[in-house]
């Protein structure tokens, strides 16, 4: 068998011998904002094709990790498609062109890999006569082997924009046994018989936003040969999953699930999904992607969840993906050392995400199953938008998963309803993020008012400035002046007031004119760049055009600066202690505290947090200088500053440097030296979503206030407990122990009195033969106690069917238990519970000898208990022939 390692090596050395530089695979996360993931070998060379950068070499060859998301839901349906795959490629950057690329490809395929020439078919772009002549005359293929096809298949685009060009593909005929079986089946048929193995792109255009084609500075070559497909052919498999690239992973899936590949089309599909997805997620995580609800994180999450679901379909009970991923790492780690390097991280991320998802998945399935059963009874065929939304929002079902289940059941989805709810949720989330009540920003008004006016922010250097009132707005309307107690929005020519942005709150302060004074309560941006001061006229009157002295509250600003610089230090320290994958996900910089949201797959340990806190404090006490300067974005990239994903930057950017440890793009205000921060303390760390965490912290006076508050609490506690500070803990422990003992006593009293009540009932209870049938409702007993009572009661009988219920805080609970002899007679507690629980608007389940139910309304609880008892009576009567 030709090992895949040999196939890779043969490719690389073939082109190396022809002057190509062997270049390593780039990451799956591309350095290109127009692309979500690396989808082809050419991605890392895009700047060379576009002529933006000059390469040190003009020919390159690679084995590139690639990921295609086109149709994740279709993966598993056939034996050739994969999301993650390896692409072998040779590239020419303005060097050779078609006349060399085509014959080389033919030579490697037929002489290097020794593929049977009679099985190879060629396609070219319809009007590419040049390619036709090379294939026909130079290579010597007869014209009936060369198909001229249209743009859809033979014009390769990197994406909606970017490098592109006509292409020529080599296809391999797998034989009549595969595919549609039609005698006229040929390379244009989509049945799968003809396998595309190599795509030669003649890269000569740059597609523009409007769809037009701009010729590239030079003509280039970009080719891509699918490793898995060539391996399938050379290893005589009609299935990429059986090649040495995937067989080991597939086998691990078989071992974990007990299913055998090749026995049933349903389990085969799931096994293929497990193999493809586990490989893909392992590579994605090792390249730094973390599960999240958007972008690449969402793709990862979707695939991980789809794999988990197919694991369940294969009857795998426990978490299994980390094991499967281990098998990916073992079988591919020698080729991709980053897998071994990040092994622990990959495992942790998978384990955490799978555990979390499995828990909610279970509940989600119950909901969806019940719902599907219900709509089928009603003969409906659409899953409503609110169910899709609930499954997504509460149970973490990716919509695609619901879609897949629905189509298995022959149902469709009300996507419009779902989108509407999603839109509403986004709106809620957005308004939640707003720090101030900025309901109606009269943007249009400001657009008019400020036209032609020179406005500028001078607050980086100055706390106060002599300026002019250029506009006043009251209740969303332009006014010429404002009087006492008027709530107004003010625009100034120059302003020292920082407008809320990038997480930093806006400044407060005062604006004074000759005739009046405005207290500024908030500053925010309108139309992205105008700083609007909102406040109240507290003295006299103010008017448009007046000279004014604008002064921020410098004390508050200093506190904000302390928190902002600390935010950068915290970001730096978290990356150092928890790893480079940590990214800022949001931040709030206020006067009293800072809040920092970041991505990380698990809760940091106490020890890690202490390390982070110490690191930040060390850098504060070191008194590091903080430098802020504006430079070109190009320069910023070269320096490797941290730019926040999703933030907009113009051509120039402001860089904030703390000592030589942190460099971020940031428009905020900062202390000049970290010593001015004083001290730093983390006051909370929590989860705010899957893989998203939040730290709240205080600095400077914020920390002093925090300590004072804590001291106050300690003082009050010690006075309440009547002890000194040092004894608070010991004294509280004693009290809690006492309380627990008392609680226990109370419970045993409650249980005992309930039992006494029941024993009386036992003697007079309904009996059939030697069996006691008891039903009792308590007023307010919680589930655990109800179970103890049930246990005790059962022990007092030899043969019994007991229903115990309670209106626990208005929420009905029911327990049903039967002794073994009754189970033998056909009594099924779980079935009984299922039948009666609708009476209490609830559900439940269990086993044949014991089951429980919970519901929403206790109104018909008595009826439910009685019905349960009667169901048992019926069974017993039938059983005993009565
Ligand atoms: N870019 C082309 C493809 O992905 C050839 O490498 O098919």
């Amino acid at each position: 068998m030709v090992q895949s390692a040999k196939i890779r090596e043969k490719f690389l050395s073939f082109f190396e011998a022809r002057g190509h530089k062997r270049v390593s695979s780039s990451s799956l996360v591309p350095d290109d904002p127009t692309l979500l993931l690396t989808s082809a070998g050419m991605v890392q060379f895009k700047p060379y094709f576009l002529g933006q950068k000059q390469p040190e070499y003009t020919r390159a060859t690679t084995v590139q990790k690639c990921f295609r998301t086109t149709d994740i839901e279709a993966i598993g349906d056939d034996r050739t498609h994969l999301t993650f795959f390896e692409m072998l490629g040779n590239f020419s950057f303005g060097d050779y062109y078609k006349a060399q690329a085509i014959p080389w490809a033919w030579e490697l395929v037929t002489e290097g890999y020794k593929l049977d020439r009679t099985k190879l078919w060629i396609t070219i772009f319809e009007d590419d006569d040049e390619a036709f002549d090379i294939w026909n005359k130079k290579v010597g293929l007869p014209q009936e082997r060369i198909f001229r096809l249209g743009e859809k298949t033979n014009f390769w685009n990197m994406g909606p924009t970017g490098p592109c060009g006509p292409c020529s593909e080599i296809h391999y005929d797998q034989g009549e046994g595969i595919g549609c079986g039609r005698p006229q089946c040929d390379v244009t048929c989509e049945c799968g018989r003809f396998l595309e193995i190599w795509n030669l792109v003649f890269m000569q255009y740059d597609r523009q936003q409007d769809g037009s084609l701009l010729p590239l500075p030079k003509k280039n070559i970009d080719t891509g040969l699918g490793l898995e497909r060539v391996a399938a052919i050379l290893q005589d498999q009609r299935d990429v999953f059986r090649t040495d690239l995937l067989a080991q992973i597939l086998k691990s899936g078989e071992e974990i699930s007990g299913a055998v590949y090749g026995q049933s089309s349903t389990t085969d599909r799931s096994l293929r999904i497990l193999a493809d997805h586990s490989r893909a997620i392992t590579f994605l995580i090792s390249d730094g992607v973390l599960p999240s609800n958007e972008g690449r994180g969402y793709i990862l999450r979707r695939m991980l969840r789809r794999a988990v679901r197919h694991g369940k379909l294969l009857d795998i009970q426990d978490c299994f993906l980390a094991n499967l991923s281990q098998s990916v790492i073992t079988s591919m780690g020698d080729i991709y050392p980053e897998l071994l390097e990040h092994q622990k991280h990959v495992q942790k991320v998978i384990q955490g995400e799978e555990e979390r998802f499995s828990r909610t998945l279970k509940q989600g399935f119950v909901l969806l199953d019940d719902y599907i059963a219900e709509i089928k009874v009603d003969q409906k065929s659409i899953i409503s938008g609110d169910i899709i939304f609930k499954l997504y929002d509460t149970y973490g079902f990716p919509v695609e998963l619901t879609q897949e289940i629905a189509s298995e059941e022959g149902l469709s989805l009300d996507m419009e309803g779902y989108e509407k709810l999603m839109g509403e949720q986004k709106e809620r989330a957005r308004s939640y993020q707003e720090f101030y009540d900025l309901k109606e920003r009269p943007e249009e008004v400001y657009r008019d008012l400020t036209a032609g006016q020179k406005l500028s922010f001078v607050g980086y250097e100055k706390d106060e400035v002599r300026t002019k009132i250029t506009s006043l707005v009251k209740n969303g309307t332009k006014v010429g002046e404002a009087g006492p107690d008027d709530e107004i929005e003010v625009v100034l020519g120059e302003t020292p007031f920082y407008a809320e942005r990038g997480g930093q709150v806006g400044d407060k302060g005062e604006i004074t004119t000759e005739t009046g004074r405005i207290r500024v309560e908030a500053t925010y941006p309108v139309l992205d760049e105008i700083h609007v001061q909102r406040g109240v006229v507290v003295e006299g009157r103010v008017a448009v055009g007046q000279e004014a002295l604008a002064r921020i509250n410098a004390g508050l600003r200093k506190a904000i600066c302390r928190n902002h610089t600390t935010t950068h230090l915290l970001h730096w320290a978290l990356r150092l202690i928890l790893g480079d994958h940590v990214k800022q996900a949001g931040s709030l910089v206020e006067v009293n505290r800072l809040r920092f949201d970041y991505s990380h797959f698990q809760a940091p340990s106490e020890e890690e947090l202490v390390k982070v806190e110490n690191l930040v404090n060390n850098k504060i006490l070191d008194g590091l200088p903080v430098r802020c300067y504006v430079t070109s974005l190009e320069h910023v990239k070269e320096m490797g500053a941290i730019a926040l994903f999703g933030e907009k930057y113009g051509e120039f950017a402001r860089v904030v440097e703390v000592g030589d440890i942190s460099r971020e793009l940031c428009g905020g205000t900062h202390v000049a030296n970290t010593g001015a921060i004083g001290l730093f303390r983390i006051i909370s760390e929590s989860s705010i979503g899957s893989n998203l965490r939040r730290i709240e912290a205080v600095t400077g006076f914020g920390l002093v206030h925090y300590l004072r508050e804590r001291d106050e609490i300690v003082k009050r506690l010690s006075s309440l407990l009547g002890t000194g500070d040092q004894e608070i803990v010991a004294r509280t422990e004693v009290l809690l122990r006492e309380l627990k003992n008392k609680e226990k006593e109370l419970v045993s009293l409650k249980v005992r009195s309930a039992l006494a009540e029941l024993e009386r009932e036992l003697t007079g209870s309904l009996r059939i033969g030697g069996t006691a049938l008891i039903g009792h409702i308590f007023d307010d007993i919680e589930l655990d106690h109800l179970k103890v009572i049930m246990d005790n009661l059962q022990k007092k009988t030899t043969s019994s069917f007991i229903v115990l219920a309670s209106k626990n805080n208005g929420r009905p609970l029911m327990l049903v238990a039967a002794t073994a002899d009754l189970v033998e007679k056909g009594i099924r507690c779980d079935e009984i519970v299922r039948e009666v629980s609708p009476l209490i608007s609830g559900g439940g389940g269990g086993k044949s000898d014991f089951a429980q139910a919970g519901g929403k309304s206790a109104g018909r609880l008595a009826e439910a208990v009685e019905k349960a008892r009667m169901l048992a009576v019926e069974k017993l009567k039938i059983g005993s022939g009565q």
Side-chain angles (χ1 to χ4, degrees), residues 626-663:
V626 180
R627 283 181 60 218
C628 305
Y629 54 89
V630 174
T631 183
S632 74
L633 210 52
E634 202 52 36
H635 182 217
V636 167
K637 275 194 201 145
E638 277 163 25
M639 294 190 304
I642 294 187
L644 297 183
F645 185 70
E647 293 257 331
K648 274 188 256 150
Y649 300 103
E651 214 173 306
F652 292 94
R654 186 165 177 270
V655 179
V656 175
E657 261 178 21
V658 185
D660 59 358
I661 57 170
S662 150
R663 189 180 279 147

Side-chain angles (χ1 to χ4, degrees), residues 40 42 68 87 156 199 201 222-224:
M42 52 72 63
R68 290 203 179 159
M87 194 185 266
W156 196 83
N199 187 12
V201 181
D222 150 33
T223 87

Side-chain angles (χ1 to χ4, degrees), residues 813-853:
L813 283 173
M814 262 177 92
L815 297 185
V816 180
T819 43
D821 56 318
L822 303 190
V823 176
E824 249 167 50
K825 287 184 186 156
I827 289 200
R828 296 278 170 273
C829 295
D830 48 349
E831 281 170 16
I832 293 178
V833 150
R834 234 169 274 138
E835 204 157 318
V836 304
S837 53
L839 289 171
I840 53 171
S841 312
K847 297 192 187 139
S848 28
D849 61 343
F850 182 83
Q852 68 186 58

Side-chain angles (χ1 to χ4, degrees), residues 758 761 766 773-779 786 790 793 801-807 812-817 829 832-841 851 853 857-874:
L758 274 170
E761 191 156 324
L766 174 63
L773 291 122
I774 303 168
H776 191 87
I777 302 176
F778 293 102
D779 266 348
L786 212 55
M790 178 66 95
L793 196 62
F801 177 82
I802 310 174
V803 186
L804 295 183
S806 164
K807 298 172 205 157
L813 283 173
M814 262 177 92
L815 297 185
V816 180
C829 295
I832 293 178
V833 150
R834 234 169 274 138
E835 204 157 318
V836 304
S837 53
L839 289 171
I840 53 171
S841 312
S857 70
R860 296 174 73 185
L861 186 59
E863 207 182 309
V865 170
E866 201 39 37
K867 185 169 174 192
R869 218 155 59 125
M870 282 310 129
L871 287 170
V873 169
E874 267 168 36

